[in-house]
Amino acid sequence: QVQLVESGGGLVQPGGSLRLSCAASGSIARVYVMGWYRQAPGKQRELVARITSGGIKNYADSVRGRFTISRDNAKNTVYLQMDSLKPEDTAVYYCNTVPVNYAWGQGTQVTASS
């Protein structure tokens, strides 16, 4: 079973940027779609960005134009560049396949607050 380890979160002021990384313990080269999810306190986990093995990207309306997803199959890593962060982006961020096929990692906390 592939394990996922997310990192790169932190506390940032609104308008700031963070870059998240998700390292997989096994190959993701054959995984068709990888995605970033987030879960805010009291809310359900939601998919915010996804990328196919061919590099096609899709975003939730709430993050389109501010977040950029990418993947490096050689490094078995998926990234999420987050710019112009808003307080409503505050959540624990996770990566996984789309649809979900692996166990969830521990996630990484992102807090956008002044």
Side-chain angles (χ1 to χ4, degrees):
Q1 174 77 319
V2 172
Q3 294 182 328
L4 303 168
V5 179
E6 300 89 354
S7 62
L11 173 64
V12 63
Q13 290 190 342
S17 298
L18 285 172
R19 188 191 193 209
L20 307 184
S21 297
C22 169
S25 63
S27 175
I28 63 168
R30 294 184 180 182
V31 175
Y32 182 52
V33 186
M34 292 294 300
W36 279 96
Y37 301 75
R38 69 185 180 187
Q39 186 167 21
K43 295 187 177 181
Q44 289 190 333
R45 196 169 302 184
E46 62 173 343
L47 177 66
V48 297
R50 61 182 185 176
I51 182 170
T52 70
S53 55
I56 297 172
K57 306 171 185 181
N58 293 98
Y59 301 94
D61 289 344
S62 58
V63 307
R64 187 175 295 114
R66 300 186 298 118
F67 290 10
T68 304
I69 189 171
S70 60
R71 64 192 285 174
D72 185 336
N73 290 336
K75 296 182 178 180
N76 297 319
T77 302
V78 184
Y79 304 97
L80 186 68
Q81 176 67 40
M82 305 188 297
D83 299 316
S84 302
L85 281 161
K86 302 177 180 180
E88 51 263 44
D89 295 318
T90 295
V92 180
Y93 284 72
Y94 305 85
C95 71
N96 213 312
T97 57
V98 182
V100 174
N101 191 42
Y102 298 148
W104 292 103
Q106 84 289 347
T108 186
Q109 175 71 48
V110 171
T111 303
S113 175
S114 55

